[in-house]
Amino acid sequence: MKPLLLINDKPLIWAHRGGRSLGPENTLQALRRGYEAGADGWETDVQLTKDGELIILHDLNLLRTTNAGVHPLFKANRPALPWRFTLEEIKKLSANVFPRRFCPPHYSEQPWKELPETVHPDLRVPTLSDALDLTAELGMWINIEIKDLSHDVPEKFSKMVVKKVTDMVHAKGMDTQVIISSFNHDYMRESKVIAPQVFTGILTPHEFKGDPVEAAKAVNADAWHPGFQFLTGEVIQRVREAGIAINPYTVNKLADVSRLTKWGVTGLVTDCPQSIR
């Protein structure tokens, strides 16, 4: 696998949570489908279990994307927060929630209320180790978002998560296939101290009012990952002139793809790699 380059002749296509228009988000099945759709890499989310294992999960609870709401173990031990359960316990869950669950649901089937007798490995909550192995097997790159565990989660998890991620990436020999990102910019500062060879990106919300160049440089980040809705060509040009990559999320409409590409973004995080490739 070639090393990841953040700045190329055209924007890299990053399949958001594996490509959540294609399969259950943040599952190995979604990753495989994002690959089949032609994505260059994928974006995913990492947090910790009770026993300190790294898992792939976006929300800070298990209810939306798994069947934890009906599983006896999790019903009897509410709330269904990942840091309250071991990896072996979380492996009992099905993450086969597709189409993506909305609130309220807009379709009759409700897979989060099902209790299958067996769960295919590609439809469980994956570990980061599983995800890195399959990423390497498919010859893709990976954007690992470390969830902000500095609020509403025991402090020990926030203190250990960055080093655990960087150590695992290094152990897998994937330092050059990865970019690590987070809304917690202190995590990005820490990542650069521990593993300066690994790319980092700062995440900001759509309504971000700060200076992206200053924010990125403050933590030695290589990239800015903004919500795309209020981006302008002027801002993108200034970020690029500072030598910083820019990979906005979550870009699903062709008109937005065309405009952002013209303005010079270096990557596009999308639910629909099959449509914008």
Side-chain angles (χ1 to χ4, degrees), residues 3-36:
L4 171 62
L5 298 176
L6 295 180
I7 299 175
N8 301 274
D9 293 336
K10 60 182 180 180
L12 296 177
I13 304 301
W14 296 93
H16 187 222
R17 305 181 200 169
R20 62 181 179 169
S21 71
L22 299 169
E25 67 175 67
N26 276 332
T27 62
L28 299 185
Q29 182 186 90
L31 169 55
R32 293 184 194 277
R33 291 179 177 176
Y35 166 76
E36 291 166 0

XYZ file of all heavy atoms in Angstrom, residues 3-36:
272
model
N 2.053 5.013 0.722
C 1.811 5.917 1.847
C 0.722 6.929 1.509
O 0.568 7.346 0.362
C 3.171 6.608 2.040
C 4.164 5.704 1.402
C 3.455 5.052 0.264
N -0.024 7.302 2.515
C -1.054 8.320 2.359
C -0.409 9.671 2.076
O 0.498 10.109 2.802
C -1.897 8.404 3.634
C -2.888 9.559 3.739
C -3.950 9.479 2.639
C -3.533 9.573 5.120
N -0.859 10.334 1.020
C -0.505 11.716 0.738
C -1.771 12.543 0.872
O -2.794 12.215 0.258
C 0.080 11.869 -0.673
C 1.380 11.111 -0.959
C 1.780 11.295 -2.428
C 2.494 11.594 -0.039
N -1.713 13.605 1.647
C -2.920 14.390 1.891
C -3.251 15.332 0.747
O -4.411 15.727 0.573
C -2.777 15.175 3.198
C -2.689 14.345 4.478
C -2.559 15.254 5.684
C -3.892 13.424 4.622
N -2.247 15.712 -0.025
C -2.459 16.653 -1.118
C -2.070 15.967 -2.429
O -0.936 15.534 -2.612
C -1.651 17.940 -0.901
C -2.114 18.620 0.395
C -1.800 18.888 -2.083
C -1.307 19.841 0.799
N -3.044 15.843 -3.322
C -2.883 15.106 -4.571
C -3.463 15.916 -5.724
O -3.908 17.051 -5.547
C -3.595 13.754 -4.455
C -3.067 12.911 -3.315
O -2.096 12.187 -3.469
N -3.707 12.996 -2.148
N -3.477 15.338 -6.921
C -4.001 16.034 -8.092
C -5.512 16.240 -8.019
O -6.053 17.154 -8.639
C -3.662 15.276 -9.379
C -2.165 15.263 -9.659
O -1.472 16.172 -9.167
O -1.705 14.344 -10.359
N -6.198 15.367 -7.286
C -7.646 15.492 -7.113
C -8.000 15.060 -5.694
O -7.218 14.350 -5.036
C -8.401 14.650 -8.138
C -8.091 13.165 -8.079
C -8.847 12.409 -9.172
C -8.543 10.913 -9.116
N -9.273 10.173 -10.161
N -9.159 15.462 -5.198
C -9.511 15.125 -3.813
C -9.631 13.617 -3.585
O -10.151 12.893 -4.434
C -10.873 15.804 -3.616
C -10.960 16.853 -4.670
C -10.176 16.331 -5.827
N -9.146 13.165 -2.450
C -9.368 11.788 -2.030
C -10.821 11.628 -1.585
O -11.402 12.535 -0.996
C -8.438 11.417 -0.875
C -6.932 11.410 -1.167
C -6.162 11.091 0.109
C -6.594 10.412 -2.266
N -11.384 10.462 -1.868
C -12.747 10.152 -1.446
C -12.686 9.278 -0.197
O -12.165 8.158 -0.227
C -13.532 9.435 -2.564
C -13.530 10.277 -3.840
C -14.951 9.123 -2.103
C -14.129 11.662 -3.692
N -13.228 9.809 0.898
C -13.249 9.106 2.176
C -14.685 8.637 2.445
O -15.594 9.462 2.553
C -12.801 10.017 3.309
C -11.379 10.480 3.197
C -10.910 11.630 2.620
C -10.220 9.791 3.682
N -9.550 11.702 2.716
C -9.089 10.589 3.363
C -10.031 8.578 4.351
C -7.793 10.209 3.696
C -8.740 8.200 4.684
C -7.635 9.013 4.365
N -14.906 7.346 2.560
C -16.231 6.798 2.820
C -16.574 6.984 4.299
O -15.947 6.389 5.177
C -16.277 5.316 2.444
N -17.558 7.824 4.560
C -17.953 8.203 5.914
C -18.525 7.007 6.673
O -19.509 6.415 6.259
C -19.004 9.312 5.813
C -19.392 9.928 7.119
N -20.695 10.230 7.428
C -18.653 10.312 8.188
C -20.747 10.790 8.617
N -19.523 10.839 9.107
N -17.850 6.641 7.774
C -18.231 5.474 8.572
C -18.331 4.218 7.703
O -19.158 3.347 7.937
C -19.529 5.728 9.343
C -19.451 6.987 10.221
C -20.707 7.238 11.016
N -20.752 8.642 11.420
C -21.806 9.256 11.952
N -22.917 8.559 12.170
N -21.762 10.538 12.253
N -17.478 4.159 6.702
C -17.441 3.033 5.781
C -18.287 3.239 4.543
O -18.170 2.488 3.579
N -19.128 4.267 4.559
C -20.085 4.502 3.469
C -21.473 4.143 3.954
O -22.024 3.102 3.603
N -22.055 4.995 4.795
C -23.269 4.574 5.502
C -24.530 4.596 4.642
O -25.602 4.258 5.133
C -23.474 5.386 6.786
C -23.657 6.866 6.618
C -23.830 7.491 7.983
N -23.984 8.942 7.865
C -24.347 9.739 8.848
N -24.616 9.218 10.032
N -24.461 11.034 8.670
N -24.393 4.985 3.373
C -25.501 4.764 2.450
C -25.468 3.352 1.880
O -26.415 2.929 1.204
C -25.451 5.774 1.299
O -24.375 5.487 0.420
N -24.394 2.632 2.148
C -24.175 1.317 1.531
C -24.351 0.150 2.490
O -24.584 -0.984 2.052
C -22.761 1.256 0.949
C -22.450 2.275 -0.154
C -20.956 2.280 -0.456
C -23.250 1.957 -1.401
N -24.203 0.385 3.775
C -24.288 -0.688 4.750
C -24.344 -0.120 6.148
O -24.222 1.093 6.340
N -24.532 -0.973 7.156
C -24.601 -0.501 8.533
C -23.333 0.248 8.923
O -22.229 -0.272 8.782
C -24.744 -1.802 9.342
C -25.270 -2.801 8.373
C -24.677 -2.438 7.053
N -23.501 1.466 9.397
C -22.347 2.340 9.600
C -21.336 1.749 10.570
O -21.678 1.076 11.545
C -22.790 3.707 10.110
C -23.397 3.736 11.499
C -23.689 5.153 11.968
O -24.567 5.807 11.383
O -23.042 5.589 12.932
N -20.066 2.006 10.255
C -18.946 1.593 11.098
C -18.892 0.083 11.316
O -18.448 -0.392 12.370
C -18.988 2.325 12.446
C -18.344 3.693 12.365
O -17.459 3.918 11.547
N -18.785 4.612 13.211
N -19.333 -0.670 10.317
C -19.151 -2.123 10.344
C -18.163 -2.517 9.252
O -17.914 -1.752 8.310
C -20.471 -2.868 10.094
O -20.962 -2.531 8.790
C -21.507 -2.534 11.146
N -17.645 -3.708 9.367
C -16.746 -4.202 8.326
C -17.489 -4.400 7.012
O -16.895 -4.270 5.939
C -16.077 -5.498 8.781
C -15.209 -5.397 10.048
C -14.511 -6.730 10.316
C -14.197 -4.265 9.963
N -18.781 -4.694 7.087
C -19.565 -4.807 5.859
C -19.601 -3.465 5.126
O -19.432 -3.412 3.899
C -20.988 -5.265 6.154
C -21.824 -5.449 4.889
C -23.269 -5.772 5.183
O -24.108 -4.896 5.315
N -23.569 -7.074 5.270
N -19.827 -2.388 5.847
C -19.837 -1.064 5.218
C -18.477 -0.747 4.614
O -18.389 -0.199 3.506
C -20.237 -0.002 6.235
N -17.414 -1.089 5.329
C -16.070 -0.854 4.800
C -15.868 -1.599 3.483
O -15.357 -1.018 2.512
C -15.025 -1.289 5.826
C -13.578 -1.358 5.346
C -13.118 -0.049 4.738
C -12.660 -1.788 6.483
N -16.253 -2.853 3.435
C -16.093 -3.615 2.192
C -16.879 -2.964 1.051
O -16.395 -2.894 -0.090
C -16.571 -5.051 2.399
C -15.715 -5.870 3.359
C -16.217 -7.306 3.419
N -15.662 -8.035 4.545
C -14.464 -8.636 4.550
N -13.707 -8.568 3.476
N -14.045 -9.296 5.610
N -18.077 -2.488 1.349
C -18.894 -1.882 0.311
C -18.347 -0.521 -0.113
O -18.435 -0.157 -1.287
C -20.341 -1.776 0.793
C -20.994 -3.149 0.924
C -22.415 -3.074 1.419
N -23.014 -4.418 1.468
C -24.229 -4.686 1.940
N -24.988 -3.687 2.402
N -24.690 -5.921 1.949
N -17.787 0.223 0.821
C -17.133 1.471 0.448
C -15.952 1.233 -0.472
O -15.732 1.975 -1.433
N -15.210 0.199 -0.183
C -14.097 -0.195 -1.051
C -14.595 -0.563 -2.449
O -14.045 -0.116 -3.465
C -13.357 -1.377 -0.419
C -12.414 -2.082 -1.354
C -11.182 -1.530 -1.689
C -12.767 -3.314 -1.920
C -10.315 -2.185 -2.555
C -11.911 -3.972 -2.772
C -10.687 -3.394 -3.092
O -9.839 -4.043 -3.965
N -15.648 -1.377 -2.506
C -16.201 -1.780 -3.796
C -16.723 -0.580 -4.588
O -16.732 -0.609 -5.827
C -17.321 -2.803 -3.578
C -16.819 -4.148 -3.071
C -17.936 -5.027 -2.540
O -19.108 -4.589 -2.571
O -17.630 -6.156 -2.095
